[in-house]
Amino acid sequence: MNVKIESSWNLHLAEEFNKPYFKDLTDFVKKEYQSKRIYPPGSLIFNAFNSCPFDNVKVVLLGQDPYHGPNQAHGLCFSVNDNIPLPPSLQNIYKEIESDLNIKTYPTGNLVRWAKQGVFLLNATLTVQANLAGSHQGKGWEIFTDAVIKRLSQEKEHLVFLLWGNYAQQKSALIDTTKHLILKSVHPSPLSAYRGFFGCKHFSKTNEYLRQKGLPEIDWR
């Protein structure tokens, strides 16, 4: 199947695109876009991949679903388009960055600046129906994104995986801990952030690990 995705990802995932489940998933997604309001825009479904080529990945941040409100989702987990108010979880992420690193974050919630440095912002499910959280779960996206995580774990080394919340932490079973660093915390949402996300210092710990491996650090601003 011909999937419009950044060339290095296409090279590593071509086998996945030709599996029966992916054809079924593609058929489902196409029908959804034709009949309902779906986020993100179709051209941005693979934005996380197109913004951060396979060879550039240094950090993997896992989310669950795209935002389901208007003009928010643009294919990067936790990220929103420019000039959109910061969602509560992203507000808390910025608070922890500022506390951990003693820096001031940029006012925009558009995290493409992280992606360009090698932070792969992957949601487990890449599409969602407007105003209906979780509506595209269980349709095949998770099979695909699990395969992506496995491929990264197997074919790269010295990655940092940021697993926030129970859902993301379940993905640790896909990751080779002898080659990579996993940092776990509760989710940054207002419901849980005060139970361990604040003070986790994942951003300084990530940079310390990258520095130890001789890799450029991430500018988390």
Side-chain angles (χ1 to χ4, degrees), residues 71-154:
N71 301 317
Q72 290 182 302
H74 64 135
L76 308 177
C77 74
F78 292 105
S79 179
V80 290
N81 283 302
D82 289 315
N83 303 314
I84 297 295
L86 299 184
S89 291
L90 187 54
Q91 289 182 37
N92 288 338
I93 290 168
Y94 280 8
K95 286 178 185 176
E96 175 59 21
I97 289 171
E98 293 181 359
S99 169
D100 182 13
L101 300 174
N102 195 28
I103 58 174
K104 183 69 178 172
T105 51
Y106 294 121
T108 177
N110 188 335
L111 302 181
V112 70
R113 62 190 186 275
W114 294 359
K116 296 299 184 187
Q117 298 177 74
V119 182
F120 183 45
L121 299 160
L122 179 67
N123 275 315
T125 303
L126 300 189
T127 54
V128 69
Q129 184 178 336
N131 306 314
L132 204 57
S135 49
H136 284 188
Q137 291 177 7
K139 305 296 183 182
W141 278 129
E142 297 92 339
I143 302 172
F144 173 68
T145 53
D146 280 1
V148 170
I149 295 167
K150 287 180 188 174
R151 201 64 53 97
L152 284 166
S153 175
Q154 291 167 358

